[in-house]
Amino acid sequence: MEIKADTTVCIGAGMCALTVPAIFDQSEEEGTVVVLDSTPPAELEEAVHRAVTLCPSGAISVV
């Protein structure tokens, strides 16, 4: 699993950071998504998929 984030699409809702704070954060300058670990451990895969689903702008994807 590899996480991709498009900051040009991100609206800064923060659902990703709230859902999986070990993997996602928000930029202090723009409030957009910051991926802390693009290849998360297997035990966080379900939570990452939930964050992708909850993202209102579709800025996060999993490959």
Side-chain angles (χ1 to χ4, degrees), residues 32-63:
T32 55
V33 62
V34 174
V35 179
L36 302 173
D37 184 356
S38 63
T39 55
E43 62 267 12
L44 292 178
E45 285 186 16
E46 183 177 330
V48 168
H49 282 289
R50 190 171 341 115
V52 169
T53 302
L54 292 172
C55 179
S57 65
I60 306 168
S61 61
V62 178
V63 181

Side-chain angles (χ1 to χ4, degrees), residues 5-43:
D6 185 346
T7 57
T8 64
V9 174
C10 179
I11 61 171
M15 293 307 297
C16 55
L18 291 172
T19 305
V20 197
I23 302 298
F24 300 105
D25 199 358
Q26 287 183 275
S27 162
E28 288 187 27
E29 296 82 31
E30 299 173 8
T32 55
V33 62
V34 174
V35 179
L36 302 173
D37 184 356
S38 63
T39 55
E43 62 267 12

